[in-house]
Amino acid sequence: NILEAAYQLAQMDGWTNFKRDDVAEKAGVATGSVSPHFKTMDGLRDAVMRKAIQTECLSIVADGLAARNKYAQGAPEGLKREALETLI
């Protein structure tokens, strides 16, 4: 639930903009429940990026490329190209 909530928020608000409190609220859990699963917000953002690559969510991958996220940078070339085109 936490990952899905974060993924949905990243689609709506941007990959770098979602907050732990918002994720917890959307997932219907206490804010403190987010950290044990992903350790840090960076860990949660990395999990969201991996899901975005699997689902080919161009907006999230583009945000990750702009932020130089290692998972976004390691995405398939075609997906990176399509994602970057959304930034132009």
Side-chain angles (χ1 to χ4, degrees):
N1 283 345
I2 293 170
L3 178 57
E4 185 58 34
Y7 180 75
Q8 290 174 12
L9 288 169
Q11 287 178 306
M12 292 185 305
D13 301 331
W15 178 74
T16 58
N17 296 327
F18 67 86
K19 307 281 186 260
R20 184 184 325 268
D21 292 342
D22 297 334
V23 171
E25 182 179 332
K26 186 159 187 68
V29 299
T31 302
S33 298
V34 176
S35 295
H37 294 285
F38 298 98
K39 309 269 190 254
T40 65
M41 282 302 288
D42 285 340
L44 179 54
R45 282 193 176 83
D46 286 346
V48 168
M49 184 56 62
R50 289 190 301 269
K51 179 173 176 138
I53 292 166
Q54 289 175 342
T55 60
E56 298 185 355
C57 180
L58 299 178
S59 62
I60 295 176
V61 174
D63 283 351
L65 289 170
R68 297 188 174 167
N69 173 268
K70 65 182 177 182
Y71 294 104
Q73 290 178 329
E77 290 301 318
L79 179 60
K80 290 193 299 190
R81 188 173 40 257
E82 285 183 63
L84 288 173
E85 288 174 5
T86 68
L87 295 175
I88 297 174

